[in-house]
Amino acid sequence: MRLGEELKRLARHSAIYGLGGLVSRILATVLLPLYTHYLPTEAYGHVEIVTATTAVLAIVLQMGISTAFFRFYFDVTEAADKLTVVRTSFWFTMSTSTLGLVLGLAFAGPVSHVLGLGHEINLVRAGAVGLWAQTNYNQLTALFRVEQRSVQYAIASVVNVIVTVAAMVLFVAVFHWGAVGLVVGNFTGTLTVYAALLAYRREQLGLEFDRSLFRQMQHFGMPLVPSALALWAISFIDREFIVWFKGAGSVGVYSVAIKIASIITFVMVAFRTAWPAFAYSIEDDRDARRTYSFVLTYLLAAVSWVSLALGALAPWWVRLLTSRPGYLRAEKGVGLLAFAFALYAGYTVLAIGSGRARRTQLNWVVTGAGAAVNVGLNFWLVPAYGMVGAAVATLAAYATLFVGMTWYAQSVYPVPYQWRRVVTVLGAAAALNVAARAPHLSLAPSFVLVLAYPLALAALGFYLPAERARLRRLVPSLR
């Protein structure tokens, strides 16, 4: 298949997959004033801590099977063999998540104290139910992804979002359940859609568990568990540093900065949903390498522009989306976090090389190095600089991931990435962001700098002749 057709296929599925994620992120951003109105900074910080904890437990309970599922599904061609992969993955996930639910309900009290939540036992119990729901929901919706049925996936996602938002508004604004209401509302939609998917998939989910296949999947997926834990540490452990050094209130402020910077996931959620199935579905290695090269360049160009828009306009994003003055300090972390997430976007493309080569055993070395950088810098920077120090640590950690995975993936599955163009898109966006925020420009000139990004790329010689010709066809004024 030609490169252009492959990229169009990825873009089409990403756009459809992204519909649910887009609706979710937009509503989460729009509802941010509601959360910050009804929840003080400390309560919002507690929600973030529970969210971070359930994320790491999901990694441990799945034991790499969720990642192995994509690789092994495309390794077989017969429908019966694919069904065995589906059933083995489903029943393993169901068993481990149920174990996590039981333990979470039974030991909610001690867990609450360990996490620094005080006597918020119900918050821990709600998190345990949410963990069970989300883990099993992700396994079922993964079927749509390997089948590349992006429309059905998007429908499930949108229904989930609608029910979730309605439940969160009801529990937080009407019933005044506080932090517990936010967590309960968050898994209500997931449970609802999961029940519907169980009925829809009932013929595929028979009682079958292939132990030999499971051992093979574990051999592939288990090395990714410490890697996933390291990624979790980079993503969430900074909240723990802030809560211990600066208090839960600062975690709430930092969480607002993360939420705003996470607008970049409008692009990332869509891409990451489509990417594994797309990347493994390309059978010819020569086509795969060429496609991966262009995907990295174009993805980083897109997320760098979004990062620039978030960083350069951070003060106005924060004022627009928060109602309490105490949250205004969040603007200091938005730009740093946005560019950190941009580097992570590049890492997700690079990491597919080790998966395609089935050489995942050393992924943990790369992610472990990133986590070590993150923890070390948090120890050093958070006590003195608070949330800004945490944001700097996150950016440094993701930069370490990007560089480290470049080295490792290229050693096991070389790809001719376009490094000059990659450096150009990242460097131009970072420079324009500094130009806007260092002198504290007002809104209008900051907005102009954001719009100037494509022109800056042209001045730096980023566009290939074919891309320039395509742009001239799209924009008559450029002819």
Side-chain angles (χ1 to χ4, degrees):
M1 187 178 292
R2 295 173 53 192
L3 174 64
E5 295 174 351
E6 291 282 14
L7 294 177
K8 287 179 182 178
R9 180 165 67 95
L10 176 60
R12 182 176 67 254
H13 284 300
S14 295
I16 300 173
Y17 281 133
L19 179 60
L22 180 63
V23 172
S24 175
R25 295 312 188 277
I26 290 176
L27 289 176
T29 304
V30 170
L31 290 174
L32 193 55
L34 174 73
Y35 305 152
T36 55
H37 175 76
Y38 283 97
L39 298 179
T41 56
E42 184 175 355
Y44 198 44
H46 286 169
V47 172
E48 287 297 311
I49 292 170
V50 170
T51 301
T53 304
T54 56
V56 69
L57 290 175
I59 294 169
V60 174
L61 292 175
Q62 291 177 87
M63 298 173 63
I65 294 300
S66 59
T67 305
F69 171 71
F70 287 94
R71 189 70 182 95
F72 280 77
Y73 187 90
F74 286 105
D75 269 357
V76 294
T77 57
E78 298 296 327
D81 294 331
K82 290 183 182 293
L83 197 59
T84 300
V85 175
V86 170
R87 291 172 174 175
T88 300
S89 302
F90 171 80
W91 287 112
F92 174 78
T93 302
M94 174 65 76
S95 301
T96 56
S97 62
T98 302
L99 175 63
L101 171 62
V102 172
L103 293 176
L105 295 177
F107 297 99
V111 170
S112 178
H113 287 287
V114 169
L115 295 178
L117 302 177
H119 298 287
E120 293 281 358
I121 297 176
N122 287 334
L123 189 59
V124 174
R125 289 171 176 163
V129 177
L131 169 65
W132 185 92
Q134 191 64 48
T135 303
N136 286 288
Y137 171 85
N138 287 342
Q139 184 60 49
L140 274 191
T141 54
L143 282 174
F144 288 134
R145 295 167 63 187
V146 294
E147 294 167 350
Q148 300 196 48
R149 297 170 63 190
S150 50
V151 173
Q152 289 82 352
Y153 180 94
I155 292 172
S157 299
V158 170
V159 173
N160 187 352
V161 169
I162 293 172
V163 176
T164 295
V165 169
M168 287 193 295
V169 171
L170 179 66
F171 297 146
V172 174
V174 179
F175 292 166
H176 300 286
W177 287 2
V180 174
L182 193 58
V183 175
V184 172
N186 194 47
F187 68 68
T188 299
T190 303
L191 279 177
T192 302
V193 177
Y194 178 66
L197 290 176
L198 279 177
Y200 177 71
R201 296 283 189 179
R202 62 187 181 276
E203 293 183 3
Q204 291 177 278
L205 303 178
L207 291 173
E208 179 183 6
F209 188 88
D210 189 316
R211 293 184 179 181
S212 175
L213 171 64
F214 174 69
R215 285 192 293 270
Q216 295 176 50
M217 295 178 74
Q218 270 199 315
H219 180 73
F220 177 91
M222 280 298 289
L224 297 174
V225 173
S227 179
L229 289 174
L231 288 174
W232 168 86
I234 296 172
S235 299
F236 293 107
I237 205 170
D238 47 6
R239 276 80 145 182
E240 291 296 327
F241 279 97
I242 295 175
V243 76
W244 288 114
F245 285 115
K246 297 297 181 179
S250 293
V251 176
V253 176
Y254 185 60
S255 298
V256 169
I258 292 174
K259 285 289 188 297
I260 295 173
S262 294
I263 291 174
I264 201 170
T265 58
F266 287 173
V267 177
M268 276 299 297
V269 167
F271 174 80
R272 289 183 64 192
T273 304
W275 177 238
F278 169 83
Y280 289 135
S281 69
I282 303 175
E283 296 181 0
D284 184 80
D285 275 338
R286 185 175 57 181
D287 290 342
R289 286 184 167 92
R290 186 162 182 255
T291 302
Y292 295 175
S293 173
F294 276 89
V295 167
L296 179 66
T297 301
Y298 292 150
L299 178 65
L300 284 178
V303 296
S304 294
W305 197 1
V306 177
S307 298
L308 170 61
L310 294 171
L313 306 178
W316 298 278
W317 286 118
V318 174
R319 294 189 186 101
L320 176 66
L321 298 172
T322 58
S323 58
R324 290 175 182 253
Y327 286 103
L328 295 180
R329 292 185 296 115
E331 71 171 82
K332 298 179 181 179
V334 172
L336 292 166
L337 292 167
F339 280 96
F341 297 156
L343 290 175
Y344 180 64
Y347 165 84
T348 60
V349 177
L350 295 166
I352 206 70
S354 64
R356 188 173 181 101
R358 288 203 177 192
R359 299 280 297 277
T360 59
Q361 290 83 358
L362 295 181
N363 279 29
W364 69 271
V365 175
V366 175
T367 53
V373 168
N374 189 45
V375 171
L377 289 178
N378 271 299
F379 265 120
W380 179 33
L381 297 175
V382 170
Y385 303 102
M387 57 165 282
V388 175
V392 171
T394 300
L395 177 60
Y398 282 130
T400 303
L401 282 184
F402 186 88
V403 173
M405 187 51 70
T406 296
W407 167 77
Y408 178 58
Q410 289 292 81
S411 69
V412 298
Y413 192 80
V415 174
Y417 291 113
Q418 304 161 354
W419 293 117
R420 186 191 68 80
R421 301 221 292 166
V422 166
V423 172
T424 299
V425 296
L426 290 170
L432 290 172
N433 183 72
V434 171
R437 295 280 33 94
H440 302 289
L441 296 181
S442 60
L443 176 60
S446 297
F447 189 68
V448 169
L449 287 176
V450 173
L451 295 179
Y453 180 65
L455 299 177
L457 293 183
L460 294 170
F462 168 77
Y463 301 107
L464 298 176
E467 294 165 348
R468 290 197 296 270
R470 191 172 297 111
L471 288 173
R472 291 190 185 98
R473 291 195 295 271
L474 294 174
V475 185
S477 60
L478 295 179
R479 293 178 180 176

